[in-house]
């Protein structure tokens, strides 16, 4: 628990100063004047007194218990100050000082030094290079932001300090309440996951917001976020490219994953609501403030304006919400009470000249109608629109139901008071139906996450001898400096994990090739086998549809000559003869590796669907059975799997089975970084992999 940081009973300000412009002065003054009632100790060897408080020469000279020290001395002095804090038994420190890892090698060395010191004394540290900590509940402003935001039950952690200052100022301006705030800078000790965990347990926090640029320990983040998000919404802005994106991807799958995919997948797995910008962060947070969650995805839109109603309906469709009409009884009820020009289906249009009575009629029914899980009330201010009354009715009716209500009051001065009134009563109110319904869709996604059943993870039995054999192959290749494992070894490894390949044999002579082809049965496919050739087609090393002895022999000669010409020094092991497989649908199965979150599985339709349309879906490993099925339904071309124009449907269970097997393979052998199985030919029953590549690292 980090109570000694967020609820300290005593604080030392090391580097407290008389000079008004210095951070050491501002923080001391903030603590003194904004409501903090704990003990405050200014520390500065040059002063006897600062801002009327007795000043101490060092932390250890205070001789009283200190929970938290805020450090605002120049970087080179920080190590000795931390040592002093350690000797004095201080539990937590916030190092505001900049000039560490972010400035280069010398700063990085200094940062390592302070990490060693805090570890030695068991101190927990926020920063360095941060803005500080706020807890409005106890009036603690241990930052150099000028004012505290209003009190509230939303807590916020931020990797950017400057953004924090802007947000606090914005919160003050718009009356948005905060509970706790922390800017964690270089996160040399405590990081986003620690604060997420703490806010998750914090009884004064209902909603958690975050701004992050990277994540230190991806697996731990997912674990903690999964636990916290079951209890309260976690809404995060993630900016900046990942390391995985920065490095060139060697596999097709890696290239398709791009830089940001793993973050989106991690957030999805963890139930974290991802938003793109600051405005959206607050728009979405606003909707959770009522504490009401819809029972399902059925949203009712009621409006006095046709256009905004259509925008809302379009957004609902785009974000996967369902716009069901109200029940038959409700529609009859409305028909009797609304003008004949009103639209009774969803969106319910009460027409431009509507007053509060018409809204009341609809809201009263919405509360009891089983086809309504939540309501979006849209309003534009015509001359006869009694805006304030409508807001009042929305609040009153909302108080009678567990269904969430949101407002979308479009306009300027005419809707200002009513909007404020709704917000004061914890009803989110927006100016734009697109934003209102998008925010509502996040509420529904969150409910889905909360209600999600425990995932089922399948384990396939793999004998220990097989694992040993795979290990031997992988280690031998790694020791030989091989990075890209070619078809033969890749096939061998993948076969052990239940991926089927066509019948095959390696021929070293044309006669052997004919013998194997006859055993397999014509027609056959021939591919050159050489550890030096990755892209066989490019060097004339692949021939398909060979029908008889003559064609096989000719192909053998031709291919070996082609390859020798293209890559003169290449060692040629022989030619692989394959069964020629036809029919089925080409898909791609792959694995890529993200430095933060680990392995990520990919599925997509093969051929142009992957090359041109990049129609693929991803999930982080380990992939659950449900997630694997979701991967199949997420691609745009999903209908092609069902079979179109009289085609038979593909064996989806077979694809899921292979995804789960690949997920297990990379978990069992983390040295495998990437896999491409492209294409995998999926048939009506079962499937077969036609080409495979494994990359180790
Ligand atoms: N113990 C206590 N006080 C000490 C000290 C020690 N060991 N050594 C020096 N001090 C005092 C100084 O004498 C000075 O007090 P004074 O005003 O009475 O002379 C005070 O600490 C501050 O030191 P000073 O050298 O004046 O530094 P500064 O105030 O100009 O700058 C920082 C200090 C930490 C603010 C500055 O180094 C810094 O890092 N600024 C950037 C902060 C930032 O942007 N953080 C990230 C935000 S997102």
């Amino acid at each position: 628990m980090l109570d000694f940081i967020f609820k300290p009973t005593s604080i030392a300000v090391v580097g407290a100063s008389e000079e008004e412009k210095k951070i050491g002065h501002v923080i001391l003054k903030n603590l003194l004047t904004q409501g903090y009632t704990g003990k405050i100790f200014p520390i500065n060897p040059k002063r006897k007194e600062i801002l009327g408080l007795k000043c101490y020469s060092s932390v250890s000279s205070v001789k009283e218990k200190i929970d938290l020290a805020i450090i605002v001395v120049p970087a080179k002095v920080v190590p000795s100050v931390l040592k002093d804090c350690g000797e004095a038994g201080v539990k937590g420190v916030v190092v505001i000082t900049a000039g560490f890892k972010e400035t280069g090698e010398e700063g990085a060395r200094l940062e390592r030094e302070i990490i060693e010191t805090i570890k030695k004394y068991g101190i927990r540290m926020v920063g360095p290079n941060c803005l500080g900590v706020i807890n409005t509940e106890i009036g603690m402003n241990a930052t150099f932001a000028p004012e505290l935001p209003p009190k509230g039950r939303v807590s916020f952690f931020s990797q950017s300090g400057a953004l924090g200052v802007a947000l606090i100022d914005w919160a003050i301006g718009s009356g948005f309440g905060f509970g706790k705030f922390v800017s964690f800078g270089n996160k040399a000790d405590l990081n986003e996951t620690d604060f997420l965990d703490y806010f998750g347990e914090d009884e004064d926090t209902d909603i958690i917001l975050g701004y992050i640029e990277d994540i230190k320990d991806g697996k731990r983040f997912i674990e903690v976020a999964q636990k916290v998000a079951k209890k309260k919404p976690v809404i995060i802005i993630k900016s900046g490219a990942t390391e995985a994106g920065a490095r060139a991807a060697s596999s097709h799958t890696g290239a398709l994953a791009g830089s940001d995919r793993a973050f989106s997948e991690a957030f999805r797995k963890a139930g974290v609501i991802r938003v793109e910008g600051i405005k959206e962060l607050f728009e979405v947070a606003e909707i959770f403030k009522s504490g009401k969650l819809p029972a399902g995805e059925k949203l009712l839109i009621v409006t006095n304006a046709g256009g905004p109603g259509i925008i809302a309906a379009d957004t609902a469709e785009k974000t996967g919400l369902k716009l069901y009409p109200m029940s038959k009884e409700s529609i009859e009820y409305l028909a009797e009470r609304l003008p004949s020009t009103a639209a009774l289906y969803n969106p319910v249009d009460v027409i431009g000249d509507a007053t509060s009575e018409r809204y009341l009629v609809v809201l009263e029914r919405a509360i009891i109608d089983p086809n309504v899980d939540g309501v979006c009330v849209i309003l534009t201010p015509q001359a006869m629109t009694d805006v304030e009354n409508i807001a009042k009715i929305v609040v009153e009716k909302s108080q009678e139901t567990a269904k969430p209500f949101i407002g979308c009051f479009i306009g300027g001065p005419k809707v200002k008071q009513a909007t404020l009134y709704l917000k004061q009563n914890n009803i989110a109110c927006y100016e734009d139906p697109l934003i209102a319904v998008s925010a509502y869709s996040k509420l529904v996604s969150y409910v889905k996450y909360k209600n999600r059943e425990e995932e089922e993870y399948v384990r396939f039995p793999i004998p220990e001898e097989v694992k040993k054999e795979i290990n031997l192959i992988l280690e031998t290749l790694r020791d030989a400096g091989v990075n890209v494992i070619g078809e033969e070894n890749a096939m061998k490894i993948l076969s052990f994990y239940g991926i089927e390949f066509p019948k095959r044999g390696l021929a070293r002579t044309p006669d052997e090739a004919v013998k194997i082809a006859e055993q397999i049965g014509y027609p056959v496919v021939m591919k050159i086998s050489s550890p030096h050739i990755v892209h066989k087609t490019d060097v004339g090393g692949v021939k398909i549809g060979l029908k008889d002895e003559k064609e096989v022999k000719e192909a053998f000669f031709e291919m070996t000559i082609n390859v020798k010409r293209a890559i003169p020094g290449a060692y040629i092991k022989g030619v692989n003869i394959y069964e020629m497989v036809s029919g089925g649908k080409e898909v791609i199965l792959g694995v890529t590796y993200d430095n933060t979150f680990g392995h990520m599985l990919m599925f997509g339709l093969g051929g142009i669907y992957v090359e041109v349309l990049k129609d693929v879906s991803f999930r982080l490993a380990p992939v659950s059975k449900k997630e694997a099925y979701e991967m199949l339904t997420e691609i745009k071309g999903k209908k092609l799997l069902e079979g179109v124009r009289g085609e038979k449907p593909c064996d989806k269970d077979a694809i899921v089975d292979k995804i789960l097997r690949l997920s297990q393979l990379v978990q069992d052998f983390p040295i495998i970084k990437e896999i491409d199985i492209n294409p995998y030919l999926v048939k009506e029953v079962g499937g077969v992999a036609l080409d495979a590549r494994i990359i180790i690292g």
Side-chain angles (χ1 to χ4, degrees), residues 497-602:
Y497 269 72
I499 314 289
E500 293 98 353
F501 288 89
K503 280 185 260 171
R504 173 186 77 97
L506 178 70
R508 264 153 299 215
T509 64
D511 288 337
E512 245 178 50
V514 170
K515 211 167 127 202
I516 296 169
E518 275 164 7
Q519 275 162 7
I520 290 173
Y522 291 108
V524 292
V525 172
M526 292 171 68
K527 291 188 198 176
I528 201 84
S529 170
S530 162
H532 300 121
I533 298 162
V534 180
H535 301 289
K536 301 178 198 76
T537 318
D538 300 352
V539 293
V542 179
K543 297 238 172 249
I544 59 167
L546 307 158
K547 292 189 294 295
D548 53 31
E549 181 181 340
K550 186 168 159 273
E551 286 189 11
V552 166
K553 277 192 176 163
E554 276 172 16
F556 192 100
F557 286 122
E558 204 182 310
M559 283 166 90
T560 39
I561 290 165
N562 279 347
V563 169
K564 276 189 184 142
R565 235 184 245 142
I567 306 174
Y571 164 63
I572 296 172
K573 274 166 77 183
V575 175
N576 273 309
I577 318 293
Y578 292 89
E579 167 193 4
M580 173 121 174
V581 188
S582 56
K585 189 139 270 142
E586 283 189 4
V587 300
I588 176 167
L589 299 172
V591 179
T592 180
Y593 186 83
D594 178 80
N595 287 340
T596 304
F597 298 106
H599 293 102
M600 189 158 63
L601 278 289
M602 186 188 80

Side-chain angles (χ1 to χ4, degrees), residues 467 470-471 474 497 599 664-672:
K467 284 193 184 170
I470 296 177
N471 236 339
L474 291 171
Y497 269 72
H599 293 102
Q664 181 173 330
L665 172 65
V666 292
Q667 299 281 296
D668 290 350
F669 299 94
I671 181 180
I672 298 179

Side-chain angles (χ1 to χ4, degrees), residues 302-444:
V302 46
T303 178
N304 68 351
I310 297 169
I311 297 173
D314 284 349
T315 313
E317 184 163 332
K318 272 188 212 137
T319 55
L321 292 171
K322 299 253 175 350
L323 289 192
Y324 288 92
M326 292 172 90
S327 68
K328 198 166 145 275
E329 296 75 37
S330 294
I331 291 171
E332 281 165 12
Y333 180 91
L334 298 188
E336 282 168 25
R337 290 162 179 82
L338 296 179
S340 59
T341 43
L344 304 180
Y345 294 89
N346 197 359
V348 174
D349 189 343
V350 288
I351 307 297
D353 62 351
T355 56
S356 48
E357 285 92 58
R358 287 190 206 157
Y359 278 95
L360 179 64
V361 165
V362 182
L363 293 182
E364 273 178 337
R365 276 317 289 193
I367 290 176
I368 54 169
D369 193 310
N371 285 1
V372 178
D373 295 321
V375 185
C376 173
V377 180
I378 301 177
L379 170 154
T380 56
Q382 278 71 255
M384 63 292 287
T385 319
D386 48 344
V387 181
E388 265 83 36
N389 269 340
I390 295 170
K392 242 167 137 186
I393 282 167
V394 173
V395 170
E396 266 170 35
K397 289 296 129 191
S398 161
Q399 281 161 353
E400 290 171 22
T401 176
K403 298 177 184 181
F405 281 19
I406 62 167
C408 176
F409 284 22
I410 309 164
K414 284 212 160 50
V415 297
K416 199 171 165 208
Q417 272 312 315
T419 301
L420 196 66
Y421 177 73
L422 288 177
K423 285 188 179 177
Q424 280 163 348
N425 285 281
N426 278 333
I427 295 176
C429 189
Y430 305 90
E431 304 166 339
D432 181 336
L434 187 143
I435 291 167
V437 176
S438 301
Y440 190 87
S441 74
K442 305 268 195 226
L443 193 66
V444 173

